[in-house]
Amino acid sequence: MPLLLTNIGQLATPPALGPRRGSAMRELQLIEGAAIEGSGAGMISWLGPFSEWTGEIGEEIDMGGAAVIPGLVDPHTHCVWAGDRLVDFEARAAGVSYERILAAGGGIRSTVRATAEATLLDLISLARPRIARLVEGGATTIEIKSGYGIEPEVELRSLEAICTIRDKAKVRIVPTLLIHLPPAAAEERPTYLRMVTDELILKVAEQKLAAAVDVFIEREAWHPEEAAAIFRAADAAGLKVKAHVDQFHAIGGVATAIAHNALSVDHLEASGAAEIAEIAASGTVATLLPGVTLHLGIGAAPGRALIDAGAVVAVATDLNPGSSPLYSTQHALALAVRLNGLSPAEALVAGTVNAATALGLEDRGALVVGARADLLALEEPDWRSVAYTLGASPVARVFIAGEELAS
Ligand SMILES: [Zn+2]
């Protein structure tokens, strides 16, 4: 039975599916007094001004004059972890350096320890409420990475937790294997790297536990030539690649990721003119993570310059305990306007079609015929409230594949 959503005060959407770059990120289609018809298969079969609707109405849902926008896509989260980083947070607020926190057994190593001690069921029950909060903030598709396991069996357990949640959730979840940190001892790096390229990636691909492999490329993490070996192994196993790059230092991660056709390069806080030009000349998405800028107080990624150079820019929460405890995808868009210099329209495009492109998905992110009927009704009658509101969710109702989630 087709479904008709009527009384949409204002519909705002990117005008087409697929990535939008540069000035095209500012173009939205706006329809006042709109209606949307959903097919039985959860896709959009018609939309336009309700005055132009001529079909028969089966089931009708009155949207009460609300603004409607596409469901948001969060293309970078680390929702699966155990433990917390509240001691670190308090210490950092008192001026203790990250290096001292790490030396005292805190920082990421404490998350790795707690995650290793957690069972599969623990990891699932810890992640579920985090995902629910992202959905409340408008996310209808969420990427979730492993990466706090480090040891291969804990990485696999983390991915199993993500896939178990995915199989039962209404929200679409996309799992990613993150190769996060090398062993602390330099002499153990080559052995660990070989385990990743020759065993872990093959297992993950065989068991279909992830769609992509991500690598943290940084002076204190993996170096570009090691990342290249991981990317080659992922490619040979049929997995897509992406990377955390230029968070603190630009050490060649952007060029390495682009050379391997990465879906996205994420972070970019330390990117300069050369990296911006490389990304703009590529099909790789630049994913901004403004929650990190807010939480760690580091410089913001050059979102404005990336768009002006013609890049495809996306925004994500990077939800994780250490550097971005940001539980709202909508709030990430609102921060990208304040911290990365995006306009509200650019933020909406960054959080919809461009974020979908960062996950290799081109069937969502725009409200057009043939797209998935993933959409949000906002509390306010003006779509710009999605990029404006701080501290409370402007999202009133969430529809995934044409079905309203209970609020
Ligand atoms: Zn991350």
Side-chain angles (χ1 to χ4, degrees):
M1 169 80 74
L3 166 74
L4 196 67
L5 307 180
T6 57
N7 197 13
I8 296 169
Q10 181 187 59
L11 184 150
T13 177
L17 293 169
R20 302 187 76 74
R21 60 172 71 235
S23 59
M25 285 183 66
R26 289 191 282 283
E27 295 162 10
L28 293 182
Q29 183 179 31
L30 297 180
I31 305 173
E32 308 289 328
I36 298 175
E37 184 194 54
S39 73
M43 311 298 276
I44 294 173
S45 44
W46 184 90
L47 89 168
F50 183 55
S51 57
E52 294 176 12
W53 168 259
T54 55
E56 277 177 42
I57 297 179
E59 189 189 345
E60 180 182 357
I61 297 182
D62 187 326
M63 304 299 276
V68 166
I69 62 171
L72 304 180
V73 177
D74 198 331
H76 183 141
T77 84
H78 307 248
C79 288
V80 174
W81 78 84
D84 66 59
R85 299 279 276 280
L86 299 172
V87 171
D88 299 3
F89 177 58
E90 199 174 32
R92 256 188 342 103
V96 181
S97 73
Y98 185 73
E99 288 72 23
R100 269 188 59 197
I101 292 170
L102 206 56
I108 189 166
R109 305 272 174 207
S110 70
T111 303
V112 169
R113 265 197 315 277
T115 303
E117 285 163 12
T119 65
L120 176 66
L121 282 179
D122 292 337
L123 293 176
I124 291 170
S125 56
L126 286 164
R128 274 212 172 107
R130 297 170 188 150
I131 295 164
R133 289 205 215 171
L134 292 175
V135 174
E136 281 165 24
T140 53
T141 298
I142 301 170
E143 186 257 24
I144 307 179
K145 304 173 197 300
S146 67
Y148 292 117
I150 313 290
E151 291 303 325
E153 62 274 14
V154 192
E155 287 298 319
L156 291 168
R157 186 153 75 233
S158 302
L159 289 173
E160 207 183 319
I162 298 166
C163 291
T164 305
I165 296 168
R166 174 196 61 190
D167 293 345
K168 291 185 183 144
K170 292 217 167 95
V171 58
R172 170 79 186 269
I173 289 172
V174 181
T176 297
L177 168 66
L178 169 60
I179 307 303
H180 206 161
L181 290 179
E187 64 275 15
E188 291 171 19
R189 283 173 89 109
T191 313
Y192 185 89
L193 186 62
R194 262 198 310 281
M195 182 281 294
V196 168
T197 57
D198 298 0
E199 295 170 37
L200 182 57
I201 286 175
L202 295 179
K203 241 181 232 170
V204 166
E206 265 166 33
Q207 297 175 30
K208 295 189 166 42
L209 290 173
V213 178
D214 191 341
V215 183
F216 182 28
I217 304 175
E218 184 54 57
R219 213 182 262 175
E220 307 298 327
W222 295 103
H223 302 150
E225 64 282 6
E226 294 167 320
I230 296 169
F231 291 153
R232 283 194 297 272
D235 191 46
L239 298 172
K240 301 268 180 22
V241 305
K242 59 176 83 174
H244 286 62
V245 296
D246 295 7
Q247 183 179 359
F248 301 106
H249 307 94
I251 61 165
V254 166
T256 305
I258 289 173
H260 289 86
N261 294 316
L263 287 171
S264 66
V265 282
D266 304 28
H267 272 294
L268 308 169
E269 291 88 343
S271 295
E275 290 79 20
I276 291 169
E278 284 167 355
I279 296 167
S282 78
T284 296
V285 177
T287 301
L288 312 175
L289 308 171
V292 179
T293 296
L294 181 70
H295 185 68
L296 294 185
I298 63 175
R304 180 75 265 138
L306 281 159
I307 294 175
D308 290 345
V312 181
V313 172
V315 172
T317 56
D318 192 19
L319 172 58
N320 77 80
S323 62
S324 186
L326 177 60
Y327 289 80
S328 165
T329 308
Q330 169 274 328
H331 205 149
L333 304 188
L335 290 177
V337 173
R338 275 74 170 192
L339 301 175
N340 304 101
L342 272 59
S343 72
E346 289 165 344
L348 182 61
V349 169
T352 54
V353 282
N354 285 2
T357 302
L359 298 179
L361 301 171
E362 297 211 351
D363 62 344
R364 67 198 66 198
L367 299 176
V368 295
V369 171
R372 269 172 66 96
D374 293 352
L375 53 98
L376 311 175
L378 303 181
E379 298 280 359
E380 301 287 335
D382 190 312
W383 70 272
R384 289 173 291 194
S385 63
V386 72
Y388 170 78
T389 308
L390 301 172
S393 178
V395 176
R397 302 167 77 175
V398 179
F399 292 75
I400 294 181
E403 209 179 304
E404 182 167 12
L405 299 194
S407 52

